[in-house]
Amino acid sequence: MTFPLGSLRSDTGASSASDTAALSGTSTRGDTASRKAARLAHPDWKLQLKLLAGGVLWLLALLALVTHNPGDPAFSTSGSTPLPHNAAGTLGAWFSDLAFFLVGYSVWWLMAVGLHSWLRGLARALRGDDAEASAKPHWLFWAGVVLLLCASTSLEWTRVYQFEGRLPGGHAGGVLGVTLGPLSQRGLG
């Protein structure tokens, strides 16, 4: 049993009526729906380019973080070798060193959030949903991410200090953890 790709869209009934009106040449109130259906048939190339660039940047960041080497010349160190061992090159060594220096191992939360945002963008592009982007408040999501990052770095500073030698700067939780960790330890115990 096969299904046409149009049946996967959430607005199939509205778009099929406007598509027949658009094909017959008559003008109805559904003209905006027929334009939307035409746009869905030919997705915006700018959106596709943004998704491609975002996906490539996320993969490069992942590669840089996974292949981080403390001996690479980067932000917090001059390095022990002239050439970086990081698979993403010198820029990847700098990125991973700076990311671990600022937020420690909590940088993996940012990678998960980046993947989630990219997948949401891809799903919106495939569905053609513009209404979902304006319906939910984005500030609430990002405020939650900041709160998660603050809590994670301070917890990392107070409890995961055995990994301090592996991180640039020598502090678990990075700079944010060193700043917020003593406050959370004093306030929460």
Side-chain angles (χ1 to χ4, degrees):
M1 177 184 263
T2 61
F3 297 98
L5 289 177
S7 68
L8 298 176
R9 294 190 188 119
S10 60
D11 59 344
T12 55
S15 65
S16 63
S18 62
D19 287 344
T20 56
L23 290 175
S24 65
T26 60
S27 176
T28 64
R29 289 185 288 160
D31 273 343
T32 58
S34 65
R35 287 186 195 140
K36 183 179 177 183
R39 190 184 72 208
L40 289 176
H42 304 287
D44 189 19
W45 66 272
K46 291 179 187 177
L47 180 63
Q48 290 178 354
L49 189 62
K50 285 180 188 177
L51 284 171
L52 178 67
V56 167
L57 285 175
W58 187 85
L59 286 173
L60 280 174
L62 179 68
L63 183 66
L65 290 173
V66 167
T67 61
H68 174 74
N69 188 342
D72 288 343
F75 175 75
S76 67
T77 180
S78 60
S80 58
T81 60
L83 295 174
H85 293 99
N86 195 309
T90 304
L91 188 61
W94 272 73
F95 169 76
S96 65
D97 190 71
L98 186 60
F100 284 129
F101 181 77
L102 291 176
V103 292
Y105 289 118
S106 297
V107 72
W108 294 108
W109 287 118
L110 295 176
M111 292 300 293
V113 166
L115 179 63
H116 175 271
S117 297
W118 185 81
L119 288 173
R120 272 185 68 183
L122 180 65
R124 265 198 319 265
L126 291 176
R127 276 189 258 128
D129 285 346
D130 290 333
E132 182 187 345
S134 63
K136 295 181 180 177
H138 292 293
W139 68 269
L140 192 59
F141 173 75
W142 291 109
V145 169
V146 168
L147 184 64
L148 172 71
L149 202 58
C150 290
S152 178
T153 56
S154 62
L155 186 64
E156 187 177 331
W157 183 83
T158 59
R159 299 290 175 222
V160 193
Y161 43 82
Q162 67 265 23
F163 297 126
E164 284 184 342
R166 298 180 190 170
L167 288 170
H171 294 292
V175 173
L176 190 60
V178 168
T179 305
L180 298 176
L183 297 172
S184 68
Q185 192 172 27
R186 211 170 335 152
L188 300 173

